[in-house]
Amino acid sequence: MTETMETTDTTGSRGSRLLGVVTLLGLATLLLFAFALTEPDVRLHPTTGQEIGQFDAVRLLYLHVPLAVFTYVAFVLCAVASAGYLVKRTAWFDTMAYAAAEVGTVFCGLVLVTGSIWGRPVWNTWWEWGDVRLMTTLVLFLMFTGYLALRRATVDPRASARRGAVVALVAVLDLPIVNRSVEWWENRTLHQKSTLGELKIQDLTLFTLMLGFLVLGLVLAWLLLHRFRVGWLEREDAGHGVATAIAERRADIDEGDVDAAVGEGA
Amino acid sequence: MSRFFADARLVAAKDLRIEARSRVLLNQVAPFALLVLVLFGFALDADQRTLRAFAPGLFWVAVLFCALLAIQRSVSVEQADGALTGLRLSGMSPAALFVGKASAVFVQLVVLEVLLTAGIIVLYGSEVEQPLLVVATGLLAAVAVACTGTLYGALASGLGVRETLLPILLLPVLAPVLIGATRAFDDALGNAAVDGWAWLGLLAVFAVVATAGGALAHGALVDE
């Protein structure tokens, strides 16, 4: 039924290998800039002259902020692909939704971890209940953990695809309500407003942050590409197994049995 | 349209009749609800003032736990003897089936909420200052939980790991309901100076979205 168009024993291709090399070099450059070349965030208090700021903790933001943005990109991609699946019912949309959800969940976990580590010295707490973005991201992470558990638990690929699509859409629709409710709940946020628009941050800092966006965008693309190919191969493999099983059963059963079974069912 | 509601009523009546005859709600879920209240008492050192201050939150966490049981039950009655296949072949619309199943869960949740309200009044010493707000919150939150739960019950149905999967799927999605209903109860029980009616608005939005979304999505799920 499902013939593999080309037999490969790897999910890599020339393009993806090139992308991988560029991504890894970019990641190394980013780490060099973020952790060595940029200055720590130290400012002098205008009246007392004390040293204030985020000090070395600011370096984590070069990873944290782009990770957070691409987490949302991945989950939106998952929701769009899920909607696409419910309309078109093609394997491409489903495989894309699953891949985006998995990579998005990993990114989301990293956002929470880096944020927590950053928050300890800067906010003086590992965790801040009441912070809208923090709570929304955590609920999002938990919802997609459920999504992945559901996908893994469902054996029938079509059922898995449909149920997964509904869960992903519900998760994304629920998100604004979660966000609203947490905001009303405590009505306060520790998160700093974006300082990008005012261009207050210095040249090298801005460059490193932009490099972070570029590199983590590449990381997302690279991981998505491979996860999508793995998903596609899994699907082909499952299709192969079913086709073989059906063929074997067909060979075993003679026509009289089939008629009897159909008669009984009707 | 009248056919739709007739079908929904039929399904709801069927589920409630099963509950009335098997007495699972009365004999197992209701005692569990009270047990949860007692356990919170043990965990919080039986300090009446603490219990009273946290009564709204404890109440709604207990409702969510019991809702999980009611939803599991609602799913499992359709699993036996291929009952769901029978319902699907009966020609009724998946949306009517959804509304019927959700209504039955809703009725059970309301019964549990009445019981738990009596529980927090007796055990935690809570006082109902705004009865209307308590009733409105209870009803809207029950609609929200019943509809979301029925949809997610359908998602997890037929899986061997249903019992463990349903909580992690359902509870994060219900986070806004927990927050909203708790805050509304904070106002209604005179625990905190918040505007409970504004929170009711959020619950109403959630309930409407859950009902409409559930009815629409249910079609895609049961016609596997």
Side-chain angles (χ1 to χ4, degrees), chain A residues 86 89 139 142-143 145-147 149-150 153-155 158-159 162-163 166-167 170-171 174 177-178 180-182 184-185, chain B residues 151-152 154-159 161 165 168-169 172-176 179 183 198-199 202 205-206 209 217 220-221 223-224:
Chain A
L86 287 180
R89 303 278 163 116
V139 172
L142 291 172
M143 287 198 280
T145 314
Y147 172 94
L150 174 75
T154 319
V155 184
R158 285 204 316 156
R162 276 181 206 192
R163 293 172 181 202
V166 171
V167 170
V170 170
D174 195 38
I177 307 185
V178 174
R180 284 293 89 182
S181 63
V182 181
W184 286 357
W185 180 37
Chain B
L151 177 65
Y152 275 67
L155 279 167
S157 80
L159 302 179
V161 293
L165 189 61
I168 57 160
L169 281 178
V173 176
L174 288 179
I179 296 175
R183 295 309 264 171
W199 283 102
L202 183 107
V205 170
F206 196 103
V209 172
L221 292 174
D223 115 90
E224 274 167 5

Side-chain angles (χ1 to χ4, degrees), chain B residues 170-185:
Chain B
L170 184 58
L171 294 179
V173 176
L174 288 179
V177 178
L178 178 63
I179 296 175
T182 303
R183 295 309 264 171
F185 259 42

Side-chain angles (χ1 to χ4, degrees), chain A residues 64-111:
Chain A
H64 176 76
V65 176
L67 272 172
V69 169
F70 285 111
T71 298
Y72 282 88
V73 169
F75 285 148
V76 167
L77 186 64
C78 172
V80 170
S82 297
Y85 176 77
L86 287 180
V87 176
K88 298 271 183 199
R89 303 278 163 116
T90 59
W92 191 91
F93 279 116
D94 177 48
T95 314
M96 180 49 89
Y98 196 179
E102 207 166 285
V103 179
T105 309
V106 172
F107 269 49
C108 194
L110 287 173
V111 170

